[in-house]
Amino acid sequence: MLLSCESISKSYGVKPLFSDLSIGLAEGDRVGLIGPNGSGKSTLLKILAGIEDPDDGTRSLRRHVRLSYVPQESTFPPDLTVEDVLAQTLREEGLDPHEESGRIARALSLGEFPDSEHPVRTLSGGWKKRLAIARSLLMEPDVLMMDEPTNHLDVEGILWLEQLLKSETRAYLIISHDRRFLEAVAERMIELNRIYPQGRFEATGRYSDFLEAREANLEAQANEHATLANKVRREVEWLRRGPKARTTKAKARIDAAGVLISDLADRDGRRELAPAGIDFTASGRKSKQLIVAQQLGKTLGSQQIVKDLELILGPGQRLGLLGPNGSGKSTLMKLLAGTLKPDTGTVTRADKLRIVTFEQHRESLDQQVSLRRSLAPAGGDSVIYQDRSIHLVSWAKRFLFRAEQLDLPVSRLSGGEQARLLIARLMLQPADVLMLDEPTNDLDIPTLDVLEENLLEFPGALILVTHDRWLLDRVSTMMLALDGTGNAEWFADFAQWEAAQERGRSGFSGPVPTRAASNNGPKPKQARKGLSHSEQKEWDKIEGLIVKAEAAVAACQAATEDPAVTSDATALQARYTALAEAQTNVEQLYARWTTLEEKRANG
C-alpha cells in the first residue's frame, strides 16, 4: 500500500464530516472520489496529502513514496514566466541542478506549452490549471492527488488531461463532479456519503459500473430498512401492551427492542436527503420559430466571433455550444438574446419572447443582500411559483438551504449554494427560451442529475454552454462549435465533434488539445501531415458511411413525396427539413472524403 488512512475522523465545530473512515491507495490505483457538497471530499484529500491532520485515526505513507497534490485553486507569483515557476519548484525541492533542464522540458511538453517565457499573470484560467498540473508532475510522484482538476479547463483541456492521465502509470486519486471525465480516467470509485453505514461506498470499475453497483446497494439498504421497520413496529406494539419485565426472557426482548429502535433511528438519520427541486417553468408558447439568425456576424476587438451564421431555434430544440475558452460562446448567447447587437445580419425573436438567462459569473447576484431577499426580491415571506404561493422556508428547503441560512448574506454562500440560488430565481420566471451559461459550476453530482432530467423535460428551447460533456451530450439535440476565428460548424453529438478534433479538421487545427484558452494564452501547434491512426480508421469506414447517408437522402426524398402529407404544411415542412439535413450530411461526408484522400496522397 502506497498511502492509507485508518479509522480517521474529522469535524468542524460540532459538525462531523466523516468518522471511522479507512481508505487505501496501492500501486496503479486510479480512483475517483465523489460525494455531495459538504461531505468532506476536499478535507479527506488534504488529510491524505498530509496538509491537514485528522481528529482521530492515522495516516500512513510508505517510505520513499513521492506524493503530489493539486488543489482546486493554485496560485503563482505573477512576475514569473511559465519556465520560472517550474524552475522555482525544482529548486525548492532541492533537485540536482544538472537534472533541472530535462525535468522542465518534460513538464513543458506534458502541458503543451509552446512558449516557456509566457508571463504567468497573462495566462487564462485554463492555462494556469495546466501549469499547476505540469508543476505537480515535475518530481515524478508515485501518487498524484487532484481536487477538481477540470475546473477552468475548456473541453479541449479536459481531453488533454484525460490523455495525460491515461498515459501515466502512477497511482492517482481525483475529486471531480465531471461524470464523463470520471468515466474516462477512473478504474475504482469511492463515494463519501452519510447514507452508507460506513460513511462511504466503493466499487471497482468505471463510473457507469459504480452507478449500477450503487443502485443495487441502495436497493438492498431499502429492503433491509423495510424489514427492520416491520420488526420495530411489532416490538413497539408488544411494548405498548405493557409486558412485565419479571422474566429473563422478557427483559432480553425489551433490551433487543431498544436496540432495534435505535438501529432504525440511526438508519433514518442516514437516509438520503432529497435532491434540489429543480423544475423550470415553461411559458407554453406554441410558436414554431422562437429565434432566427440570418447571416449573423460579430467581431470584438480583433477577434471575429461568428460570420454568416444561420440558425433557427424552436420549442423542444436544445442547442449545445462548443469551443475553447474565449471562442465566443457567451457572446453568441448575448447576440441571440438581444443584449448585444450584431455587426452584420439579423436576429429575429418571436413577439414578446421570454428568455431566462443563467450567467456563469453570478453577476446578477447582489453579494450583500440576505439569502431571504435574494430568493424573494419583492419582499414578503413567500414566492409565487407556477401560480401557487409557497412559503419562503419551504422554497429555500427545496434548494437544500436551511432556515437558519436565510439571514446570511449571499457572499457567505459557497459556490454550489450560489448556483442553486440562481436556479431558484430563474425557476420563478416562465420561459420560452432558457440560456444557461455554465450552470454546472460547483454543483455536486446529485444536483447535476436533477438538472439534467429537468432540462430533458423542458418543452421550450434551450441554449447550453457547459464543460460537463455528460450533460451536454445527453441534453443537446444539436451542437454548434465555435473556433474563435469566426468559423462555426454543426455536429449531431459530442462524439462527432470529438472525432473532428482528433482529425484536426479545418477550423480546429492541431493535435487535441492545443488551442489557447484566450488571446493571452500560448498559441496552438500546427497539425501534422499524413493520416493519423484515427484518420486511417475513419478512412476505412467513410465509404460505407456515404452509402448509408445517400440511402437516408433517398428515404427523406420519398417521404416528402408522400401524398398523405401534401396537405399538412407542418408535416411537410418537417420532412423537407429532414431532407435538407440528410443532404448536408452527404455533402460533409464527401468533403471529408476529399480531405482525407488529399492527405493520403500527400503523406
Side-chain angles (χ1 to χ4, degrees):
M1 194 67 68
L2 298 174
L3 173 67
S4 65
C5 57
E6 297 290 336
S7 302
I8 64 169
S9 301
K10 188 70 176 182
S11 299
Y12 284 113
V14 296
K15 180 184 178 183
L17 286 178
F18 44 77
S19 60
D20 198 27
L21 188 66
S22 298
I23 289 179
L25 206 63
E27 292 183 12
D29 269 355
R30 299 181 168 191
V31 182
L33 179 63
I34 64 173
N37 289 336
S39 58
K41 303 182 297 296
S42 295
T43 301
L44 173 61
L45 205 65
K46 289 176 182 177
I47 291 173
L48 286 167
I51 297 171
E52 287 191 20
D53 294 323
D55 296 337
D56 296 297
T58 58
R59 166 190 177 268
S60 301
L61 181 67
R62 200 168 77 187
R63 290 184 62 188
H64 306 304
V65 167
R66 295 182 301 276
L67 186 148
S68 189
Y69 166 74
V70 181
Q72 284 193 37
E73 301 293 338
S74 299
T75 57
F76 307 98
D79 296 331
L80 299 185
T81 67
V82 169
E83 185 170 345
D84 291 338
V85 168
L86 299 176
Q88 183 184 67
T89 301
L90 292 176
R91 287 192 293 271
E92 290 173 353
E93 293 293 333
L95 187 73
D96 185 339
H98 294 93
E99 296 184 42
E100 187 173 301
S101 61
R103 294 279 184 108
I104 290 176
R106 180 174 182 272
L108 291 171
S109 176
L110 286 175
E112 299 185 355
F113 288 96
D115 182 7
S116 63
E117 296 302 318
H118 206 90
V120 171
R121 66 177 178 274
T122 62
L123 290 178
S124 67
W127 282 97
K128 285 180 180 177
K129 178 63 74 172
R130 286 187 185 230
L131 179 56
I133 294 170
R135 181 175 65 175
S136 72
L137 298 175
L138 272 176
M139 299 307 296
E140 300 177 356
D142 302 296
V143 178
L144 180 61
M145 315 195 78
M146 309 174 83
D147 193 350
E148 295 288 357
T150 62
N151 281 2
H152 306 297
L153 292 178
D154 57 16
V155 173
E156 291 180 341
I158 295 172
L159 292 172
W160 160 80
L161 180 56
E162 284 181 5
Q163 293 303 317
L164 178 65
L165 291 173
K166 288 177 182 178
S167 67
E168 295 293 323
T169 57
R170 59 179 53 81
Y172 55 72
L173 176 64
I174 296 175
I175 296 173
S176 181
H177 293 154
D178 188 323
R179 295 161 292 179
R180 185 155 178 162
F181 174 72
L182 290 170
E183 179 76 10
V185 304
E187 296 176 357
R188 178 159 64 103
M189 291 296 307
I190 299 174
E191 180 184 11
L192 293 187
N193 200 319
R194 61 194 300 271
I195 64 174
Y196 305 114
Q198 305 303 319
R200 71 178 180 93
F201 177 70
E202 182 175 330
T204 301
R206 302 290 183 187
Y207 178 72
S208 52
D209 300 319
F210 163 81
L211 290 179
E212 293 181 5
R214 181 183 190 272
E215 186 66 26
N217 178 275
L218 292 178
E219 184 177 351
Q221 279 197 58
N223 292 336
E224 290 176 6
H225 186 275
T227 301
L228 180 60
N230 286 332
K231 287 182 179 178
V232 167
R233 186 171 59 253
R234 290 195 298 269
E235 294 305 295
V236 167
E237 290 173 353
W238 178 74
L239 288 170
R240 284 174 177 167
R241 292 196 294 268
K244 304 296 184 182
R246 298 176 187 168
T247 66
T248 301
K249 185 175 181 180
K251 289 180 181 179
R253 184 169 179 179
I254 291 172
D255 291 341
V259 171
L260 287 175
I261 292 170
S262 177
D263 189 13
L264 181 61
D266 179 61
R267 288 173 181 262
D268 285 336
R270 288 190 284 102
R271 297 189 79 173
E272 190 167 19
L273 293 173
I278 299 171
D279 186 8
F280 290 106
T281 303
S283 67
R285 177 189 285 269
K286 302 300 182 183
S287 307
K288 297 300 181 184
Q289 294 183 349
L290 300 176
I291 298 177
V292 178
Q294 295 177 302
Q295 299 292 303
L296 186 63
K298 183 66 180 179
T299 299
L300 291 178
S302 61
Q303 182 184 10
Q304 189 164 28
I305 304 300
V306 289
K307 57 184 177 183
D308 300 328
L309 177 65
E310 301 283 335
L311 181 148
I312 300 176
L313 194 66
Q317 292 181 310
R318 300 186 292 272
L319 172 62
L321 295 182
L322 287 161
N325 289 341
S327 60
K329 300 184 294 293
S330 298
T331 300
L332 175 57
M333 196 176 282
K334 291 176 181 177
L335 289 169
L336 297 176
T339 57
L340 188 65
K341 291 184 178 180
D343 297 333
T344 59
T346 60
V347 178
T348 305
R349 286 168 286 275
D351 185 43
K352 298 180 181 178
L353 185 70
R354 286 179 281 192
I355 298 175
V356 171
T357 303
F358 182 105
E359 298 283 355
Q360 65 164 311
H361 298 300
R362 320 278 202 260
E363 293 172 352
S364 61
L365 291 178
D366 187 337
Q367 298 291 316
Q368 305 309 313
V369 305
S370 66
L371 172 60
R372 179 187 305 276
R373 286 288 66 84
S374 194
L375 283 169
D381 290 323
S382 63
V383 298
I384 303 299
Y385 174 64
Q386 295 184 348
D387 299 324
R388 292 184 297 113
S389 178
I390 300 177
H391 194 275
L392 191 58
V393 173
S394 298
W395 184 247
K397 185 177 180 181
R398 177 170 182 153
F399 298 94
L400 311 183
F401 294 114
R402 303 183 306 278
E404 57 267 28
Q405 290 180 282
L406 287 173
D407 293 316
L408 289 176
V410 170
S411 60
R412 294 277 301 276
L413 301 178
S414 68
E417 288 170 333
Q418 291 195 23
R420 295 200 303 269
L421 170 57
L422 271 174
I423 291 173
R425 287 159 57 105
L426 297 184
M427 279 175 50
L428 298 177
Q429 308 173 47
D432 303 309
V433 180
L434 286 177
M435 294 190 176
L436 306 183
D437 193 354
E438 295 295 351
T440 64
N441 286 354
D442 302 311
L443 295 182
D444 57 18
I445 288 178
T447 307
L448 287 173
D449 289 337
V450 176
L451 176 64
E452 179 181 295
E453 292 301 324
N454 185 255
L455 294 180
L456 285 170
E457 295 172 0
F458 181 68
L462 169 69
I463 302 177
L464 176 64
V465 175
T466 179
H467 294 157
D468 188 321
R469 294 162 296 160
W470 188 293
L471 178 71
L472 188 70
D473 204 24
R474 180 144 188 249
V475 168
S476 301
T477 59
M478 52 185 176
M479 295 187 183
L480 180 65
L482 308 180
D483 72 348
T485 66
N487 296 314
E489 191 167 2
W490 290 96
F491 295 93
D493 54 27
F494 184 84
Q496 190 182 64
W497 176 84
E498 191 172 24
Q501 290 293 94
E502 292 173 353
R503 296 192 299 265
R505 293 188 66 176
S506 174
F508 296 91
S509 60
V512 175
T514 59
R515 181 169 300 281
S518 74
N519 288 342
N520 293 328
K523 302 302 179 187
K525 300 177 182 177
Q526 296 299 315
R528 63 184 180 184
K529 295 182 178 179
L531 293 183
S532 66
H533 176 68
S534 61
E535 287 173 333
Q536 184 61 51
K537 291 173 65 178
E538 181 190 7
W539 171 257
D540 294 338
K541 297 178 181 179
I542 197 166
E543 290 188 0
L545 293 175
I546 290 174
V547 171
K548 291 181 179 179
E550 289 179 330
V553 169
C556 289
Q557 182 67 52
T560 63
E561 298 168 355
D562 184 356
V565 298
T566 55
S567 61
D568 187 339
T570 301
L572 193 59
Q573 178 61 39
R575 296 194 181 191
Y576 272 111
T577 299
L579 174 60
E581 292 174 350
Q583 290 171 334
T584 299
N585 187 36
V586 169
E587 291 169 1
Q588 290 176 340
L589 285 170
Y590 270 114
R592 184 58 186 158
W593 180 88
T594 301
T595 300
L596 291 174
E597 174 61 20
E598 290 175 353
K599 292 190 73 174
R600 288 178 75 248
N602 296 331

